[in-house]
Amino acid sequence: MISDLFSLRQLDDLVTRTHSEGINELAAAALIEHEGRFLLIEKPSRNFELAPSTWELPTGFVRAGETLTSGMERVLAEYFGFSSAEATRYLGHNDHAHDAGRIVRVFVFAVTVEHPDSICHTAHIGHRWIDNITISDTVDGINSMLRVYYADTPN
């Protein structure tokens, strides 16, 4: 479910606009908050001898035939062990260079999950919960998403 602030139709329009810009690779990312901290997932480096692993929001590619939110829910279940996840708001998007110079547009959603502490017990992925200051320093391009998140989040 997406709140009235951003409807499913508006998301479809964003996808259509993205494709018209020549960007065909889509991904969805989840900003998951629990007790005032945000979940980050460890992304191992392809060459761990030359570069350390990085930390990012739980993210995955959206497959053909999936909506942005259904793709995100599938990724959260398959890779991170969340059996129930719900996108509550669209926060924005970023473009990232991927293999062979292709651009991937990553759509970011505020997400609630039923048992946030169950992350990775089945997925075996490095993870950590960090505060909003640390996430700003760790995840590129997150600050505009946090401003939207906090502007719309009840205290």
Side-chain angles (χ1 to χ4, degrees), residues 41 58-63 66 69-85 113 118-125:
I41 301 298
T59 304
F61 285 101
V62 176
R63 295 177 181 161
E66 290 180 325
T69 55
S70 68
M72 184 209 48
E73 290 165 358
R74 174 192 49 78
V75 166
L76 290 175
E78 285 181 12
Y79 296 103
F80 307 116
F82 289 125
S83 59
S84 69
V113 294
S118 68
I119 180 68
C120 299
H121 291 279
T122 59
H124 305 293
I125 287 178

